[in-house]
Amino acid sequence: MKLHIGGEIAKDGWTIFNIQKKKDVDIIGDLEDLDQFSENSIKEIYASHVFEHVKITSIPKILKNIHTILEQDGKLHISVPDMDIIFRLFLNSKATTKVKFSLMRMIFGGQVDEHDFHYFGWNYEFMADFLTNANFSKFKRVESLQIFKDTSELKAYGHRISLNMIAIK
């Protein structure tokens, strides 16, 4: 099985797992409860701009659970807003108030519904620490995940704003 966490649009070979009921969602569930998946049962997991919506206290458990349900050498494709990039753009002396407001929403969430709040800000160092502590054997930063057209490739003001990584069990 290939699991697309937070997805909304069907793609052959992928099962969509989302906290909200939407048209193409296969499984409705909370990222903090992955007990419905057996150990070593998932080949790949894809999560784009999901982990910033998770409370920092829950992240270690969630990543360990993801590690558990991935098969050996399984991949976690993960994308989050990169605070380092967004902060650089925000601090640019040429950034207008409108630009800064838009960037602020990338940091704290769009807040258009009860799920669109960001609890945690990510950068490479934070992600590397969490992945290491969850026992992923290796991980690397990539420019693009190249699986879905989504926020992992989002550009703001000419710059990609996502930290994209692939972690291997």
Side-chain angles (χ1 to χ4, degrees):
M1 176 188 280
K2 295 184 196 178
L3 191 63
H4 185 177
I5 296 173
E8 298 181 12
I9 299 171
K11 182 174 183 165
D12 286 344
W14 288 86
T15 300
I16 298 176
F17 177 85
N18 197 313
I19 197 166
Q20 299 180 69
K21 182 177 180 160
K22 296 189 176 188
K23 180 181 171 248
D24 290 330
V25 172
D26 301 301
I27 302 170
I28 297 169
D30 191 323
L31 187 55
E32 294 190 47
D33 181 14
L34 298 174
D35 291 343
Q36 61 190 297
F37 303 104
S38 303
E39 287 186 28
N40 304 309
S41 65
I42 310 287
K43 180 178 182 171
E44 293 182 70
I45 294 177
Y46 184 93
S48 177
H49 287 233
V50 172
F51 277 80
E52 64 274 16
H53 299 277
V54 176
K55 293 178 183 170
I56 189 170
T57 55
S58 301
I59 291 168
K61 178 184 175 193
I62 291 169
L63 284 173
K64 285 181 181 178
N65 287 342
I66 285 174
H67 185 272
T68 298
I69 65 175
L70 278 171
E71 21 178 91
Q72 190 58 41
D73 299 319
K75 293 181 181 179
L76 169 62
H77 307 267
I78 189 166
S79 178
V80 291
D82 189 328
M83 278 194 326
D84 291 344
I85 294 168
I86 296 170
F87 285 170
R88 274 195 301 273
L89 293 170
F90 188 90
L91 293 172
N92 184 326
S93 61
K94 295 179 183 175
T96 65
T97 301
K98 182 178 179 181
V99 167
K100 287 184 176 192
F101 188 82
S102 172
L103 293 165
M104 181 272 304
R105 290 180 81 201
M106 291 177 199
I107 295 167
F108 295 107
Q111 303 182 21
V112 296
D113 63 38
E114 69 272 19
H115 302 289
D116 196 17
F117 286 83
H118 296 180
Y119 291 99
F120 188 66
W122 291 94
N123 69 4
Y124 178 83
E125 291 81 11
F126 296 160
M127 183 65 75
D129 283 348
F130 278 104
L131 292 171
T132 298
N133 291 334
N135 297 318
F136 282 89
S137 64
K138 56 186 167 185
F139 48 84
K140 65 180 178 179
R141 183 179 198 153
V142 294
E143 186 173 328
S144 174
L145 297 176
Q146 300 178 339
I147 298 175
F148 296 92
K149 286 187 175 262
D150 58 21
T151 49
S152 68
E153 301 200 10
L154 182 64
K155 283 188 175 184
Y157 312 103
H159 300 273
R160 285 194 177 188
I161 58 96
S162 294
L163 167 64
N164 297 315
M165 295 187 69
I166 299 172
I168 309 292
K169 177 174 179 178

